Amino acid sequence: MGSSCGRGCWEWASRLRRLTGFSRLLSTAALAPQICVVGSGPAGFYTAQHLLKHHRLAQVDIYEKLPVPFGLVRFGVAPDHPEVKNVINTFTQTAHSDRCSYYGNVTIGKDVTVKELQRAYHAVVLSYGAEDNRILGIPGENLSGVYSARAFVGWYNGLPENRDKTDITEGSLAAIACSKVKRVWLVGRRGPLQVAFTIKELREMINLPGTRPLLDPADFTGLGDVIKDVPRPRKRLTELMVKSALEKPGEREASRWASATKEWGLKFRCSPLEVLPAADGKQARGIRMAVTRLEGSGESARAVPTGEVEELECGLILSSIGYRSLPLDSSIPFDSKLGIIPNSLGRVQGAPGLYCSGWVKRGPTGVIITTMNDSFDTAQSVLEDLQSGLLKLSNSKEGFKSVRSILHSRGVHPVTFSDWEKIDAAEVARGKLAGKPREKLVDPREMLQLIGH
């Protein structure tokens, strides 16, 4: 009798645990925050990573306008820096989480609006980066032979929108191999103490095979005393420029430079005024620049025209003056002058439940580690708002289920992460045939055809 009662009690307890567990599952499902991230570059993936790690119920959906993920890690990192792309492994782990979904080939603002996303999700994080470039705003900028550095980088990295100029794609590799470029000038409005490149980039340029640097000693004389009190990274960078410009190179370096067939140089205190046309009026033949002087010192120094003018003959001009974010749609507050979404710690001003991270939050500055920390900060703001009740989980949200209906009605077919992995495998297979890590597909239609869309 006692044995039977014990078995019966155990069965009832087991059923009760199952019922309680089921009840708890229902309650937690109702309380699971539905969050979407717009943009699958570093800012988007780092935001998602932090949310998933620090909230055990959060469901995060990542939307991307291209079929393929990873943003500037795929399309902005130079092909000869594959180590920088290792973060893709971390992003892939995030995408494989059972609480994370990726939806490519979806253009927010066209295929689905931000307002529609806000109705479907408890929180919407805009992490779509800076997809435009700043313009010089000078006569002749539209002549043939003048491009933005962004378009040039997109070309050799196989960015679909730049593929017709096109690790490095076969088309661009062939074009660069046949290049007749022998000398490249890097021109800046200010001086050696205001350069924006890093010491690592400078070392790579100095050690570039087959090339020699052209540094005017007059630009660097006397800088040794000036840099005593500047921050260490700036000091080390300037010391390397001073050494390269003023000191006699070692025997090995001198031999390498003597046999070099190409040159690169730094030209300071010059501000572009006009791109000069060739005789046909269509092609660029050079650039006219204002010679400047500096007012102030350090990072805050301003370049002021002296009245003198200098002309530089060149057939190819690349403007590298920064990227620029654009508003997705009219419902989003946007500072067009700064090119950012006005925000406080990632919370979009005047728009509860709307957040931003990455370049669209702070402007196109910093490297991947900067973006990581910035994105973690925004994700933390979302978590705090969930905890405080500012984001009301009692308001049921359907997340992608709701968005899927909208996309279906508009004839849009999202690309999943497993679809991307088919594209990835195809690129790696194509690259293997060419003796490369991968050969990128550059036509979205070809990508979609490959996965049966």
Side-chain angles (χ1 to χ4, degrees):
M1 184 68 128
S3 174
S4 174
C5 178
R7 191 182 305 112
C9 290
W10 181 87
E11 287 173 354
W12 273 107
S14 179
R15 287 182 64 190
L16 184 61
R17 275 197 300 271
R18 287 199 300 272
L19 286 169
T20 304
F22 183 65
S23 173
R24 188 181 297 116
L25 183 65
L26 285 176
S27 64
T28 54
L31 294 175
Q34 298 288 326
I35 304 170
C36 93
V37 174
V38 178
S40 69
F45 266 104
Y46 280 129
T47 300
Q49 175 188 320
H50 193 85
L51 289 167
L52 293 165
K53 181 178 179 181
H54 296 282
H55 197 299
R56 62 187 181 86
L57 298 176
Q59 170 67 43
V60 181
D61 295 338
I62 301 174
Y63 290 91
E64 168 60 52
K65 73 172 185 176
L66 292 174
V68 294
F70 310 134
L72 283 182
V73 178
R74 177 178 168 96
F75 295 118
V77 175
D80 58 345
H81 288 69
E83 71 286 351
V84 180
K85 301 187 182 186
N86 289 339
V87 292
I88 285 178
N89 299 329
T90 304
F91 299 161
T92 298
Q93 286 179 2
T94 298
H96 282 163
S97 164
D98 57 6
R99 292 185 290 117
C100 183
S101 298
Y102 166 84
Y103 301 107
N105 195 41
V106 178
T107 302
I108 306 303
K110 187 184 81 169
D111 299 332
V112 58
T113 67
V114 173
K115 287 289 187 188
E116 288 169 331
L117 288 179
Q118 288 181 285
R119 285 194 285 270
Y121 292 91
H122 293 104
V124 175
V125 186
L126 304 174
S127 306
Y128 59 87
E131 56 185 348
D132 198 11
N133 53 270
R134 299 180 188 277
I135 61 171
L136 292 168
I138 61 174
E141 190 169 7
N142 296 322
L143 289 171
S144 179
V146 182
Y147 304 95
S148 70
R150 177 184 178 276
F152 183 64
V153 172
W155 167 67
Y156 67 59
N157 270 322
L159 182 63
E161 67 186 70
N162 299 129
R163 65 184 183 275
D164 294 328
K165 297 173 210 179
T166 221
D167 65 16
I168 189 168
T169 64
E170 281 298 318
S172 53
L173 183 60
I176 291 172
C178 297
S179 168
K180 296 178 182 177
V181 174
K182 298 297 181 187
R183 178 181 293 167
V184 175
W185 287 107
L186 284 80
V187 181
R189 291 174 300 129
R190 300 190 292 172
L193 293 175
Q194 290 81 33
V195 296
F197 51 76
T198 65
I199 191 168
K200 181 183 177 185
E201 291 164 338
L202 179 61
R203 280 201 195 102
E204 288 180 345
M205 290 294 290
I206 290 172
N207 296 320
L208 201 61
T211 70
R212 62 173 164 264
L214 299 173
L215 303 179
D216 186 348
D219 287 328
F220 302 95
T221 304
L223 284 187
D225 294 331
V226 178
I227 61 172
K228 286 178 180 177
D229 299 321
V230 301
R232 188 167 181 268
R234 172 72 67 186
K235 183 179 181 182
R236 290 175 61 233
L237 170 61
T238 309
E239 285 172 343
L240 181 55
M241 285 190 285
V242 170
K243 179 182 177 183
S244 302
L246 301 181
E247 295 183 14
K248 186 178 179 181
E251 188 176 330
R252 189 173 169 185
E253 206 167 48
S255 174
R256 183 166 58 82
W257 290 352
S259 61
T261 58
K262 299 176 181 179
E263 301 172 323
W264 65 272
L266 298 174
K267 188 175 284 291
F268 296 110
R269 291 178 286 275
C270 287
S271 182
L273 290 174
E274 178 185 4
V275 177
L276 304 172
D280 63 4
K282 298 177 181 178
Q283 178 73 33
R285 67 164 178 85
I287 187 165
R288 180 176 293 129
M289 302 175 293
V291 177
T292 66
R293 59 180 174 80
L294 297 186
E295 285 187 353
S297 61
E299 302 291 339
S300 60
R302 290 176 59 249
V304 179
T306 62
E308 294 180 54
V309 171
E310 182 177 332
E311 290 187 4
L312 190 63
E313 293 291 318
C314 49
L316 175 63
I317 298 167
L318 301 172
S319 63
S320 181
I321 56 173
Y323 289 33
R324 187 168 64 109
S325 296
L326 300 170
L328 281 183
D329 65 37
S330 58
S331 69
I332 306 170
F334 193 80
D335 185 326
S336 55
K337 186 176 181 182
L338 296 177
I340 61 169
I341 296 173
N343 69 91
S344 176
L345 299 176
R347 297 177 178 92
V348 177
Q349 291 178 9
L354 193 59
Y355 303 81
C356 57
S357 68
W359 283 4
V360 77
K361 170 187 174 184
R362 70 178 191 276
T365 58
V367 292
I368 287 179
I369 190 72
T370 322
T371 296
M372 181 186 76
N373 292 325
D374 169 271
S375 302
F376 287 174
D377 289 344
T378 291
Q380 195 59 38
S381 292
V382 177
L383 295 171
E384 288 170 6
D385 291 350
L386 284 168
Q387 188 174 14
S388 70
L390 188 66
L391 298 176
K392 292 181 171 53
L393 295 183
S394 56
N395 297 337
S396 180
K397 302 279 188 174
E398 292 191 314
F400 181 68
K401 183 180 177 182
S402 173
V403 174
R404 178 171 51 200
S405 301
I406 295 171
L407 296 177
H408 180 73
S409 71
R410 294 170 185 168
V412 179
H413 303 285
V415 171
T416 65
F417 202 78
S418 60
D419 288 334
W420 146 247
E421 290 179 321
K422 293 175 188 174
I423 296 171
D424 180 43
E427 291 184 342
V428 171
R430 284 174 41 156
K432 191 173 182 181
L433 294 174
K436 299 162 56 181
R438 75 172 59 237
E439 179 62 30
K440 289 176 183 171
L441 297 175
V442 296
D443 187 342
R445 289 173 299 181
E446 189 178 357
M447 297 175 190
L448 297 176
Q449 189 175 14
L450 176 70
I451 57 177
H453 274 42

